[in-house]
Amino acid sequence: MSLKRKIVVLASGSGTNLQAIIDAIKAGKLNYVEIAAVISNKKDAFALERARSAGINAIFVNPKDFVSSIEYDKNLIKTISNYNVDLIVLAGYMKVLSEEFINAFTNKIINIHPALLPDFGGKGMYGKYVHEAVLKSAVKESGCTVHFVTAEVDAGPIIAQRKIPVIPGDTVESLSKRILIEEHKLLIEAIGKVFVKVGT
Ligand code: GRF
C-alpha cells in the first residue's frame, strides 16, 4: 500500500505547471506526493501528453458527452473519488467548476492564478485577459497566487504568492512568460505548504 499523498491534476493547456510538479517529485522535492491522474476537458491538451510520458494516467473527459456542465462535473466527482485523493490541483484548467464539485472536495482543491489576488481575479480574468488588465492598470508589480478554491471564483484563501516587477515596455507575452517561471516554483511551494498543514 502506498503511503504517498495522492493528487489529481486538472489541466486544459500546455501543462508546464503539471510538468513542474512531475519534475519536483522526480527531484525528490515532493517525494511524498504521487500524481494519481491528470484529467483534461481538452483532447489535445499537451498536459495529457506530458502525463503519458511520465507514466501517469491521462484522462480526457469530453464535455460533448454530457448534457450540462453539472453532469460533466458529477462524472468528474465519481472519477476523482475513485482515486481517494488528498488534493486536486487546477493547473491551467479552463473550465469553471460547479458548486457541486467544489462542495464534494472542500479544502482539497487548489488553483494557480497568474496575478496577485485578490486583484485581477474573478470571472473573465484568465489567460491573457489577466495580463492585459495588469498592463492597462499600470501597476508596478504582478505575480502569481495559489489559493484554495471556493464557490466564488479566485476568492478562496490564499496559500502562497510570488511577486515580480512589471517592467516598462512589458507586453502580455513578456509578462506572462516571466510570471510562468515563478508559477512553477510557487506551485511546488504551495503543495508542500498544504501538506505540511494537514500533516504528511
Ligand atoms: C498558467 O498561467 C496558470 O496560472 C493559468 O493557466 C496557465 C497554465 O499554464 N491558470 P500551463 O498549462 O501550466 O503551462
Side-chain angles (χ1 to χ4, degrees):
M1 202 178 86
S2 163
L3 292 173
K4 293 199 172 168
R5 310 308 300 252
K6 279 194 186 173
I7 68 174
V8 161
V9 178
L10 302 188
S12 308
S14 77
T16 62
N17 279 291
L18 163 70
Q19 192 65 52
I21 306 172
I22 294 171
D23 293 347
I25 294 172
K26 272 197 196 137
K29 280 186 220 156
L30 288 176
N31 56 1
Y32 54 88
V33 169
E34 179 184 36
I35 304 176
V38 173
I39 303 176
S40 185
N41 61 326
K42 298 273 180 210
K43 193 168 193 261
D44 300 328
F46 193 62
L48 290 174
E49 205 47 53
R50 292 180 193 271
R52 282 182 211 112
S53 305
I56 298 165
N57 294 318
I59 305 167
F60 162 58
V61 185
N62 193 345
K64 288 191 183 142
D65 291 343
F66 300 87
V67 290
S68 67
S69 234
I70 295 195
E71 289 305 315
Y72 184 91
D73 277 7
K74 275 188 188 163
N75 176 272
L76 218 55
I77 294 171
K78 243 194 244 160
T79 307
I80 295 176
S81 298
N82 284 336
Y83 289 108
N84 227 336
V85 290
D86 298 292
L87 191 67
I88 297 162
V89 179
L90 308 184
Y93 186 60
M94 297 302 179
K95 194 171 185 303
V96 175
L97 292 168
S98 61
E99 280 199 48
E100 197 138 1
F101 185 93
I102 294 165
N103 293 335
F105 302 105
T106 314
N107 292 329
K108 280 192 176 175
I109 313 169
I110 65 171
N111 177 50
I112 184 149
H113 183 81
L116 296 173
L117 293 175
D119 297 335
F120 306 106
K123 243 183 159 191
M125 277 292 168
Y126 60 89
K128 68 170 184 160
Y129 301 110
V130 178
H131 307 297
E132 271 172 9
V134 166
L135 291 173
K136 209 172 158 201
S137 77
V139 285
K140 299 232 158 32
E141 280 183 324
S142 190
C144 42
T145 305
V146 175
H147 64 96
F148 282 106
V149 173
T150 55
E152 201 183 332
V153 181
D154 293 332
I158 290 171
I159 300 161
Q161 282 186 318
R162 272 180 179 245
K163 292 180 183 174
I164 60 147
V166 176
I167 298 169
D170 251 339
T171 60
V172 166
E173 287 70 32
S174 65
L175 184 60
S176 61
K177 220 169 154 185
R178 288 207 316 287
I179 290 177
L180 196 57
I181 294 168
E182 296 306 312
E183 287 186 36
H184 299 156
K185 300 178 221 159
L186 182 75
L187 189 54
I188 304 314
E189 191 184 310
I191 292 172
K193 244 178 142 178
V194 168
F195 283 137
V196 165
K197 247 195 187 156
V198 297
T200 49

